[in-house]
Amino acid sequence: MAGEARAEGVARRDLLRLGAAAGAAVALPTALPSPAVAAAQAAPDVPTARPAAAPGIVKPLPPDLFTVHGTNAETRFQALRGTGPHTPADRFFVRNHTSTPVLDPATWSLRVWGSGLDGGEREFGLDELRALPATECGAFVECAGNARSFYATQQGEPVSGTPWGTGAVGNARWRGVRLGEVLRRAGITRRAVDVMPRGLDDAYVTDDGTSYGRVRRPMPVAKALDDVLLAYEMNGEPLPYDHGFPVRVLAPSWVGIASVKWVGDIEVSAEPLYSPWNTVLYRLFGSAYPPEGSAPLTRQTLKSAFELPLDAELRAGRTHLLTGRSWS
């Protein structure tokens, strides 16, 4: 099937502990978007007034569609009823480590560099990427910690991180250029083992003041050359600001952290690469795992949920029409 990830993954166990905490609130840039950016974005993504406020998020967050968790916005799952298989951009959840950057596509470029290339680094502008052969795929993006709140409410186990319900997942039709196509044009060699995209959002600083730098997470070359996209469209429109404009990584079937938004550079290395997002974060911890945790999380697993509020009550003795979604 299109979009199937063939790189080796790891099993998801019952106990999921993510060390990531909600990032410190950072104000949006005060500079107004350029005319090019304004023209590329749909009007709802650059509102003059928002139905609900959230630090660092650009698009409106109506309370009937979203639950705000600091710099993150969770889709109310019942708001997806009747929307079809692809999540509309105005209802797609937002996972930000800091704040959404407002980038100018006219000055944006992608730098590809590292010891796994032959011939030095290479830069690609947005027009250059759009001129390459385009690929479309339907794929979901899901935060690795989706449904984390149930550890506390159902199992009585305290966990850190954003208290997601079921709404940290969205499915869209993505269009872009295959990452493998770009890597080949940049001169990837047989020595390359890891590929690490990095975003252009601000450095992530933990509650104790530790700076992890900009979001970046390596993936093996096998995955990078398989089905990963550098996406510039979402559901037939340019990416909205909050979802990676002008270009994001889209790693089908893998945990959301692998689909780095606002990508600015990609390191191609002949040695294994590490970042906080594949060492201290996004691993499984507990008695079934070594002290340093499991291997880094990669593939997601089959899940499903009814399109109902989490506190929904259904009266006995009546007929109810239930709708829901499953994803894998």
Side-chain angles (χ1 to χ4, degrees), residues 228-271:
V228 178
L229 285 188
L230 293 174
Y232 44 73
E233 288 184 8
M234 175 182 179
N235 294 336
E237 300 289 342
L239 289 172
Y241 289 131
D242 296 304
H243 302 296
F245 180 82
V247 176
R248 72 172 298 164
V249 175
L250 190 281
S253 81
W254 278 32
V255 290
I257 187 63
S259 294
V260 173
K261 296 190 287 186
W262 317 293
V263 61
D265 75 274
I266 299 175
E267 181 179 0
V268 184
S269 176
E271 302 291 338

Side-chain angles (χ1 to χ4, degrees), residues 300-315:
Q300 288 282 35
T301 59
L302 173 67
K303 297 176 187 175
S304 61
F306 284 118
E307 293 170 330
L308 292 171
L310 295 180
D311 58 352
E313 294 183 358
L314 303 178
R315 290 184 177 273

Side-chain angles (χ1 to χ4, degrees), residues 84-284:
H86 295 144
T87 308
D90 66 346
R91 303 185 189 205
F92 211 99
F93 84 103
V94 179
R95 170 66 171 106
N96 281 358
H97 282 80
T98 55
S99 62
T100 295
V102 177
L103 304 175
D104 186 341
T107 59
W108 175 90
S109 65
L110 175 66
R111 174 177 170 245
V112 184
W113 61 283
S115 60
L117 297 180
D118 184 17
E121 68 179 58
R122 173 79 185 276
E123 281 201 4
F124 297 83
L126 183 57
D127 289 342
E128 189 174 359
L129 289 184
R130 285 183 168 274
L132 297 177
T135 297
E136 288 191 3
C137 77
F140 70 86
V141 176
E142 181 181 24
C143 180
N146 194 24
R148 181 188 286 122
S149 65
F150 298 136
Y151 282 108
T153 60
Q154 294 185 1
Q155 297 171 221
E157 299 178 4
V159 291
S160 62
T162 304
W164 301 111
T166 53
V169 61
N171 187 56
R173 190 73 185 171
W174 310 92
R175 179 179 174 85
V177 58
R178 286 186 176 272
L179 175 56
E181 177 77 18
V182 172
L183 294 178
R184 291 184 182 97
R185 290 173 181 265
I188 189 171
T189 70
R190 293 181 179 274
R191 300 189 308 274
V193 295
D194 272 357
V195 175
M196 183 161 68
R198 176 165 45 189
L200 289 170
D201 45 339
D202 291 335
Y204 171 56
V205 180
T206 65
D207 290 341
D208 65 4
T210 302
S211 177
Y212 283 168
R214 287 175 166 167
V215 174
R216 61 204 184 280
R217 192 177 198 252
M219 65 179 71
V221 166
K223 175 66 174 176
L225 297 179
D226 180 20
D227 59 355
V228 178
L229 285 188
L230 293 174
Y232 44 73
E233 288 184 8
M234 175 182 179
N235 294 336
E237 300 289 342
L239 289 172
Y241 289 131
D242 296 304
H243 302 296
F245 180 82
V247 176
R248 72 172 298 164
V249 175
L250 190 281
S253 81
W254 278 32
V255 290
I257 187 63
S259 294
V260 173
K261 296 190 287 186
W262 317 293
V263 61
D265 75 274
I266 299 175
E267 181 179 0
V268 184
S269 176
E271 302 291 338
L273 293 173
Y274 301 95
S275 83
W277 287 271
N278 75 329
T279 54
V280 298
L281 308 177
Y282 296 94
R283 290 172 176 260
L284 297 175

